[in-house]
Amino acid sequence: MALLWVVAVLGAPAAATTPEERDEVEQRQGEVRADLDTSRQDLDEVGAELVAASDRLAGLQAQLPGARAAVDQAQAEASAARQRDAQLA
C-alpha cells in the first residue's frame, strides 16, 4: 500500500506538467546530452595528447644519460685544455 502511495505522489508532478514544460525539459535534456558528448570528446582528445606527451617525455628521458655523458666529456676536455694552456703559458 505504501508503494502505491509513493507512485501516486511521485507521479503526480509529471502528470501536472504542461506540454510546454515537457518540451522544455526534453530540450534541456538534449542540450545536456550534447554537452556531455562534447565533454567526452574533449576528454578523449586530452587523453590522447597526454599519451603523446608521455611518450615524448620517455624518449627524452632515454636520451638524457647520453647527453649528460657528452657534457661530462666536453667539460673534461675543456678542463684538460685549460691545464695545457696554463702549462704552456
Side-chain angles (χ1 to χ4, degrees):
M1 189 67 174
L3 181 59
L4 187 57
W5 178 83
V6 169
V7 170
V9 170
L10 293 179
T17 60
T18 66
E20 293 82 16
E21 290 172 329
R22 275 182 254 152
D23 289 344
E24 186 177 325
V25 168
E26 288 175 4
Q27 179 181 352
R28 183 64 186 133
Q29 285 175 337
E31 292 169 359
V32 168
R33 285 187 186 107
D35 289 345
L36 184 58
D37 288 342
T38 300
S39 295
R40 284 182 180 141
Q41 290 171 354
D42 291 346
L43 183 60
D44 289 344
E45 290 173 12
V46 169
E49 291 171 5
L50 180 60
V51 168
S54 179
D55 290 345
R56 284 193 303 274
L57 177 61
L60 292 171
Q61 286 176 330
Q63 294 175 6
L64 192 55
R68 285 185 176 147
V71 167
D72 290 344
Q73 178 66 32
Q75 287 175 338
E77 290 173 5
S79 178
R82 282 192 293 275
Q83 286 177 356
R84 278 189 298 243
D85 186 49
Q87 289 173 352
L88 293 174

